[in-house]
Amino acid sequence: MPQSAAMISGIQRMVLYETRARYFLVGSNQAQTKHRVLKIDRTEPKDLVIIDDKHVYNQQEVRELLSRLDLGNRIKISQKGSSGLSRAVSACGIVGFVRFLEGYYIILITKRRKMADIGGHSIYKIEDTTMIYIPNDSVRVTHPDEARYVRIFQTMDLSSNFYFSYSYDLSHSLQYNLTLLQRPYELWSSAPSSTEEEVHTQSKQDSFDIFEDEGLPTQVVYGLQNEPYYKYVWNGKLLEQVKDIVHPDWLMYIIHGFCGQSKLLIYGRPVHITLIARRSSKFAGTRFLKRGANCEGDVANEVETEQIIHDASVMSFSAGSYSSYVQLRGSVPLYWSQDISTMMPKPPIRLDQADPYAHVAALHFDQMLQRFGSPIIILNLVKKREKRKHEKILSDEFYPAVINLNQFLPPDHCIEYMAWDMARCTKSKLCNVLDRLSTIAENVVKRTGFYVNQSDFYCHSLRPDDRWGDVRGHIASSGRLQTGVLRTNCVDCLDRTNTAQFMVGKCALAYQLYALGMIDKPKLQFDTDCVRLFEELYEDHGDTLSLQYGGSQLVHRVKTYRKIAPWTQHSKDIMQTLSRYYSNAFSDADRQDAINLFLQVYQPSESKPHLWELPTDFYLHQSSSMALHQDRRSYTLWWSNGILSYLPVPYDEVPCEDTMKKVKVKRVNRFDESIDTYTEFFRPYEITSFDDTFCIAMTNSAREFMPKTVGVDPSPFTVRKPEETGKSVLGKSTKEETLLQRKTAASAPPPPSEEAISTSSEDDSEEDRDDEGSVSQRSTPVKLLTESGESSRPQEEVQQQSVKESYGLNLAEFPSEEDLLIYKRFAHLGESQHRVERHEHINLANIISLEPVSCFPVDSIYAVCPPQVDKDSRDVFESHVLTSRGQMRALCREDMLVYREYIKNRYM
């Protein structure tokens, strides 16, 4: 059992009860053994009055409390028909509290859906919410514009790509969350002592032990509760009013972006591939309305993408194998925008403010150094050559800004800048886009490294790989840390950026699987089940992010750059382009207002103009334009204090005084349910259906992508033809394809070596046609030739068809004379070598030797000698016999621990 563990929220189920004067929000844990009550006053027309009952109730106490409230709030005591306490709604989380021009509203999550599982920690997607007005109708002060604000606020659809977890911090990366558990525990004692006594008293009450007087030691575990990274939290402002009032279990932080998980089966071994995208809540908005950066260094369309690989056969964070890799996308960190009033598909780019000292870029890269460490690698994909200067304006300003910032950084930690015109390379017949991206990805992954929570395998030193030896990052005894990050951008950070991130993710995936011992070389081929599964996951990720920012799905996908997209894809691309243009022209302004209102960037007030009356929201996102800052940051020492001393390791992951203040530590018993991930995940107290579990419904490489042909290589790393995927084979219904699926492994040739598989140009159409003969043909059946040289046709008769399906030839046809001659010669040779004289008597006893197969040394109809039984087995049997007679043996220490835990969970 680890010495530290993440705290699980004690409130996962909620019921809102209503009276005329108050709302009572009763929250409980998943097992409904502990309950908390939140009292919300309804008599205040414009203020939020919340009382958090500090007492933790059990189920019986909650029922008694609700019955007393029901009885006390009835109009007449003797009247049983009219209830004084009514049940309003059931929920599973609080999004927050919001106020416009009247009273406060409470937003509750009423429906959720499980999307991923990481080490036993479930990640949920919000499916439905409800918004309830708190003040009573008798004290409500109406305002004519309240309904319009409510309508704008509800335009922000919370059921589309908002995620939360009760036990896993989604705002931080897996590397941060796991390194937090591995910090030295002596540092916990250096936390501020002002709350130490309170925490100790509270933990002693929560983990009350009736066996403490018997001298049995209590196994203590440090429960950790970390402060979220508010840049990726979307309901931080909505919870700001109650954050310091209520218990932390009531607070639940949500992220916006994407979360998807698929199962990769490697010869039956489950490996989960999880993709999490966190969209920044700072300077958030839609495509043409949010460009560049604001005065605080936050850029538009900033998304952190993390791919997590873990062996699903082991659930625990301490004993399992986990690996992650993080990338970043975001707009060019300059003051720039595009004027959409001209109604052009591509409005001209203009630089709004001059920034000769790259002040905004310095603030942005300072945040990245603090969160990711060094090196920071920039991949700029905007166009370089244009007839009319458009995208090149950004490159001409961005590169000098990076040069200016690098002259003050140490040479080992400088920002690396790579510019590549991806659009021009796509149009060229001499250039292969994915080959170029593959080379860039290889260099980037080697420079930044990746996170893995275990040390290198010994087999890696026995069979060293040249690529593996060049991988950098921070290497420790417990594994590897990713230091630095790749920042990819184009103009929109949508189509080109998603393809580039996919290629980098594909390269990182190969290294992650190699580090976990799943493959023998850190390289993955296209057209394998593994890469197809990963590509589908990345396309869903790109479509979701594109819909959020651009208003349509991706226009150019990976298949487009591989030049293998079907001809129907062109019409779809045109429709997506039109959909994106329509969304940008007509609906983006309303979506931007909803985002500003949800994030509380704009807070309505009677003394301010209304949101729809503002000509622009520039002043809402640029705080420096509304006030003059007295302290100005240095242009030369543009980074925060203390960052450079820990590089290349990110400052946020260093156990220093500043980072320790963000962690709350609680001493709990090792069996406490607040850290019991096993009970939280498996829920042994509930009856669950195996078919309804999340792992069954998850996308499966064997079910979705592996060909259904009998006898194919089940490895997800085998290169297959496009028509051999599981999805395409299932759709075929002809006799020939049915026959093709039933071929056995004996009719398939051996697979070629890896060197024979061409990978230099996956997207070149001419070489793709040539590769059809060189790729692996493990699932391609061999067509037998008849005497005339033509392929054997399917049999028309049912009796002959079964024979041909089994053996690959028609046994009803008489063999040729050449085949008969060969058979006669073989039979003659066999008779000559194994000739047996007929007159000799054969003694079967010399040929057949019968031996007993019983495990008993003596086993016959006359006598049986039983096997020996060890002492431990005899002791277990004797204890069972004595127990049946009412005689109990003395309990050992392990028995006392189990019984103590049972008493605690059952009655306390």
Side-chain angles (χ1 to χ4, degrees):
M1 186 73 181
Q3 294 186 357
S4 64
M7 296 288 291
I8 302 172
S9 176
I11 298 177
Q12 300 186 20
R13 295 183 179 183
M14 301 178 186
V15 180
L16 185 67
Y17 295 94
E18 176 185 4
T19 65
R20 293 180 60 85
R22 282 181 177 177
Y23 275 122
F24 293 91
L25 190 60
V26 180
S28 67
N29 56 359
Q30 191 67 38
Q32 294 186 348
T33 57
K34 294 182 179 180
H35 298 74
R36 290 183 179 272
V37 179
L38 206 63
K39 306 171 186 176
I40 307 173
D41 191 10
R42 301 186 64 194
T43 59
E44 291 291 336
K46 291 189 177 182
D47 294 331
L48 183 63
V49 180
I50 293 181
I51 302 173
D52 185 12
D53 193 345
K54 303 298 182 183
H55 182 69
V56 179
Y57 297 87
N58 58 28
Q59 198 164 14
Q60 182 64 28
E61 291 173 342
V62 165
R63 289 175 180 174
E64 294 175 357
L65 175 65
L66 294 177
S67 62
R68 290 197 302 267
L69 290 173
D70 182 27
L71 185 63
N73 285 276
R74 289 179 183 174
I75 301 175
K76 296 180 181 180
I77 300 298
S78 61
Q79 187 176 1
K80 296 183 179 180
S82 63
S83 175
L85 184 72
S86 60
R87 179 169 179 157
V89 67
S90 299
C92 50
I94 303 176
V95 176
F97 299 84
V98 65
R99 176 183 176 271
F100 306 120
L101 295 173
E102 296 181 6
Y104 275 88
Y105 296 83
I106 181 174
I107 303 106
L108 298 174
I109 301 172
T110 57
K111 191 177 180 182
R112 70 188 183 189
R113 179 162 61 98
K114 189 173 179 179
M115 294 299 296
D117 161 51
I118 302 175
H121 301 270
S122 300
I123 299 175
Y124 298 96
K125 176 181 179 291
I126 299 177
E127 288 288 304
D128 196 12
T129 57
T130 183
M131 189 172 175
I132 300 174
Y133 188 67
I134 293 177
N136 201 342
D137 292 338
S138 60
V139 298
R140 182 170 186 173
V141 180
T142 60
H143 194 282
D145 295 319
E146 178 76 7
R148 185 167 183 179
Y149 277 113
V150 173
R151 191 164 55 251
I152 294 175
F153 186 87
Q154 291 178 340
T155 305
M156 192 71 183
D157 187 10
L158 287 174
S159 63
S160 62
N161 310 116
F162 283 88
Y163 306 91
F164 67 93
S165 176
Y166 296 112
S167 56
Y168 184 80
D169 188 358
L170 286 173
S171 63
H172 283 104
S173 64
L174 179 75
Q175 175 174 317
Y176 179 91
N177 291 331
L178 292 191
T179 52
L180 187 69
L181 304 178
Q182 298 171 357
R183 292 182 182 179
Y185 303 107
E186 297 80 17
L187 297 175
W188 301 138
S189 59
S190 63
S193 59
S194 59
T195 59
E196 185 177 356
E197 186 176 352
E198 178 185 352
V199 170
H200 179 69
T201 304
Q202 185 179 4
S203 63
K204 194 171 182 180
Q205 293 176 354
D206 293 344
S207 59
F208 175 71
D209 197 351
I210 62 176
F211 298 94
E212 194 170 4
D213 296 335
E214 299 184 10
L216 291 174
T218 302
Q219 299 178 356
V220 176
V221 175
Y222 292 99
L224 309 180
Q225 196 166 28
N226 185 51
E227 183 179 323
Y229 192 65
Y230 285 101
K231 185 174 186 177
Y232 298 116
V233 173
W234 277 66
N235 63 335
K237 291 290 185 180
L238 300 179
L239 293 173
E240 199 171 28
Q241 294 283 340
V242 299
K243 183 173 63 173
D244 300 328
I245 302 174
V246 301
H247 191 272
D249 284 349
W250 291 103
L251 305 177
M252 189 183 66
Y253 299 100
I254 63 175
I255 67 167
H256 185 37
F258 174 80
C259 180
Q261 190 174 57
S262 297
K263 183 190 296 183
L264 179 68
L265 280 179
I266 306 176
Y267 292 106
R269 187 178 185 180
V271 177
H272 287 181
I273 301 178
T274 312
L275 205 61
I276 300 176
R278 309 173 183 92
R279 181 175 291 280
S280 173
S281 61
K282 309 292 183 182
F283 203 53
T286 54
R287 184 186 178 197
F288 285 131
L289 298 178
K290 285 292 165 284
R291 295 293 209 188
N294 63 1
C295 60
E296 298 177 356
D298 303 309
V299 298
N301 195 21
E302 183 175 3
V303 181
E304 179 183 300
T305 301
E306 180 182 18
Q307 62 187 51
I308 300 173
I309 316 297
H310 74 277
D311 185 357
S313 58
V314 181
M315 189 184 70
S316 170
F317 271 153
S318 58
S321 302
Y322 294 85
S323 178
S324 70
Y325 185 76
V326 178
Q327 302 181 64
L328 190 71
R329 70 170 71 182
S331 186
V332 179
L334 302 170
Y335 287 120
W336 65 279
S337 62
Q338 287 180 274
D339 186 12
I340 61 174
S341 60
T342 56
M343 295 295 289
M344 297 173 58
K346 288 186 178 181
I349 294 176
R350 65 184 183 189
L351 297 174
D352 298 329
Q353 297 181 28
D355 192 8
Y357 299 104
H359 177 65
V360 175
L363 293 173
H364 177 66
F365 290 119
D366 181 33
Q367 296 177 9
M368 294 183 62
L369 284 174
Q370 185 169 348
R371 182 166 173 83
F372 304 109
S374 68
I376 295 175
I377 304 174
I378 301 170
L379 179 58
N380 188 11
L381 301 176
V382 302
K383 297 177 181 178
K384 290 182 179 179
R385 298 180 183 179
E386 297 173 300
K387 295 180 180 178
R388 181 173 58 88
K389 205 171 183 181
H390 182 65
E391 296 183 10
K392 193 174 184 297
I393 298 174
L394 301 177
S395 294
D396 293 344
E397 290 291 327
F398 192 20
Y399 181 63
V402 175
I403 295 297
N404 179 64
L405 297 178
N406 274 341
Q407 62 182 336
F408 307 112
L409 280 175
D412 295 338
H413 307 302
C414 283
I415 302 171
E416 300 183 16
Y417 181 88
M418 291 187 296
W420 180 50
D421 191 345
M422 184 173 173
R424 183 179 180 84
C425 184
T426 306
K427 299 176 182 178
S428 174
K429 295 182 179 180
L430 302 177
C431 183
N432 192 321
V433 176
L434 298 189
D435 275 355
R436 174 65 173 161
L437 283 176
S438 181
T439 304
I440 294 174
E442 190 80 21
N443 295 330
V444 166
V445 174
K446 288 180 179 178
R447 292 279 289 117
T448 62
F450 56 92
Y451 172 74
V452 62
N453 69 334
Q454 63 184 20
S455 56
D456 295 347
F457 286 102
Y458 181 63
C459 63
H460 293 166
S461 59
L462 293 178
R463 298 187 297 272
D465 189 273
D466 296 337
R467 293 183 290 265
W468 179 251
D470 298 334
V471 178
R472 301 184 191 178
H474 183 71
I475 303 176
S477 59
S478 59
R480 293 172 174 264
L481 295 180
Q482 178 182 349
T483 58
V485 72
L486 172 68
R487 186 193 190 278
T488 311
N489 73 269
C490 51
V491 177
D492 298 324
C493 300
L494 296 178
D495 300 336
R496 287 173 281 180
T497 299
N498 196 73
T499 302
Q501 284 195 335
F502 164 75
M503 290 301 297
V504 176
K506 171 178 168 290
C507 179
L509 176 64
Y511 280 97
Q512 289 175 285
L513 292 173
Y514 180 77
L516 297 179
M518 306 296 178
I519 53 178
D520 57 348
K521 292 184 179 181
K523 190 174 183 180
L524 293 176
Q525 308 285 351
F526 273 103
D527 296 326
T528 59
D529 297 343
C530 175
V531 175
R532 279 175 176 152
L533 179 142
F534 189 66
E535 181 181 342
E536 185 176 88
L537 203 59
Y538 244 98
E539 284 198 355
D540 293 342
H541 158 268
D543 287 337
T544 303
L545 298 182
S546 183
L547 279 168
Q548 294 168 6
Y549 183 66
S552 73
Q553 294 182 351
L554 291 173
V555 176
H556 302 296
R557 303 173 181 271
V558 178
K559 289 184 176 61
T560 307
Y561 293 102
R562 290 187 68 192
K563 300 178 182 177
I564 62 171
W567 63 271
T568 54
Q569 186 65 36
H570 300 296
S571 59
K572 294 180 181 179
D573 293 346
I574 294 173
M575 293 303 298
Q576 294 298 337
T577 304
L578 294 176
S579 174
R580 184 176 294 183
Y581 174 73
Y582 175 83
S583 176
N584 300 152
F586 300 104
S587 63
D588 276 5
D590 295 336
R591 290 172 55 211
Q592 185 66 55
D593 288 343
I595 292 173
N596 291 338
L597 196 60
F598 181 83
L599 294 174
Q600 296 289 283
V601 177
Y602 174 85
Q603 298 180 358
S605 174
E606 295 183 1
S607 60
K608 296 191 301 186
H610 294 299
L611 180 61
W612 53 85
E613 294 176 354
L614 297 177
T616 178
D617 64 348
F618 175 83
Y619 303 101
L620 301 177
H621 294 271
Q622 307 285 348
S623 59
S624 63
S625 60
M626 305 299 292
L628 184 61
H629 293 279
Q630 300 296 330
D631 53 336
R632 183 179 293 274
R633 292 174 65 101
S634 172
Y635 290 137
T636 56
L637 304 177
W638 50 267
W639 51 87
S640 300
N641 294 329
I643 290 182
L644 290 186
S645 57
Y646 295 104
L647 289 179
V649 179
Y651 181 77
D652 287 349
E653 298 175 11
V654 175
C656 60
E657 184 178 356
D658 292 339
T659 57
M660 293 295 292
K661 294 178 181 178
K662 301 178 181 179
V663 183
K664 295 181 180 178
V665 187
K666 181 180 178 182
R667 292 166 55 92
V668 295
N669 189 288
R670 61 167 290 191
F671 300 108
D672 194 280
E673 61 183 12
S674 62
I675 60 169
D676 190 359
T677 312
Y678 178 86
T679 304
E680 171 70 18
F681 181 76
F682 289 103
R683 301 179 186 177
Y685 45 82
E686 290 184 0
I687 298 178
T688 54
S689 173
F690 183 73
D691 293 334
D692 296 336
T693 55
F694 172 72
C695 60
I696 298 298
M698 190 191 309
T699 302
N700 191 315
S701 64
R703 183 176 63 235
E704 305 289 341
F705 297 94
M706 193 178 78
K708 302 304 181 286
T709 309
V710 179
V712 302
D713 188 355
S715 171
F717 309 112
T718 301
V719 181
R720 312 189 194 277
K721 290 184 178 181
E723 64 270 11
E724 292 174 350
T725 60
K727 294 183 179 180
S728 62
V729 169
L730 285 176
K732 297 177 181 178
S733 59
T734 61
K735 292 183 179 180
E736 185 176 357
E737 298 302 334
T738 305
L739 182 64
L740 182 145
Q741 295 179 30
R742 299 176 181 175
K743 290 291 183 180
T744 57
S747 63
S753 61
E754 186 176 354
E755 289 76 9
I757 301 175
S758 174
T759 60
S760 60
S761 56
E762 289 88 345
D763 63 309
D764 193 0
S765 58
E766 295 182 0
E767 294 190 14
D768 273 347
R769 289 192 293 269
D770 297 337
D771 286 346
E772 292 182 359
S774 61
V775 295
S776 175
Q777 297 177 354
R778 303 183 187 187
S779 60
T780 306
V782 176
K783 294 185 178 180
L784 298 175
L785 300 182
T786 60
E787 293 182 1
S788 59
E790 298 178 355
S791 61
S792 59
R793 294 170 296 179
Q795 300 300 315
E796 298 177 355
E797 298 181 4
V798 180
Q799 295 83 357
Q800 299 177 2
Q801 184 175 0
S802 59
V803 176
K804 181 166 184 178
E805 289 175 1
S806 303
Y807 299 101
L809 68 150
N810 187 7
L811 296 180
E813 296 181 0
F814 195 76
S816 61
E817 294 182 2
E818 184 179 358
D819 294 337
L820 282 175
L821 183 59
I822 294 175
Y823 175 73
K824 288 179 180 179
R825 289 178 180 175
F826 175 78
H828 180 69
L829 290 174
E831 289 177 358
S832 301
Q833 278 197 328
H834 305 284
R835 185 179 300 276
V836 180
E837 297 295 337
R838 299 297 181 185
H839 61 275
E840 292 183 1
H841 177 71
I842 300 175
N843 188 7
L844 294 178
N846 299 330
I847 302 174
I848 304 176
S849 177
L850 301 177
E851 296 181 358
V853 295
S854 175
C855 296
F856 290 12
V858 177
D859 185 12
S860 67
I861 60 174
Y862 304 106
V864 175
C865 181
Q868 297 294 326
V869 181
D870 58 354
K871 184 178 182 300
D872 293 337
S873 301
R874 290 199 302 270
D875 291 342
V876 171
F877 179 74
E878 289 175 1
S879 65
H880 278 280
V881 174
L882 292 176
T883 304
S884 65
R885 297 176 179 176
Q887 302 176 14
M888 299 293 295
R889 65 178 179 85
L891 298 179
C892 63
R893 180 176 177 275
E894 292 295 331
D895 297 332
M896 292 296 295
L897 288 176
V898 173
Y899 180 67
R900 177 178 62 178
E901 178 59 22
Y902 168 76
I903 293 295
K904 177 182 175 183
N905 292 337
R906 183 67 179 86
Y907 300 105
M908 301 177 58

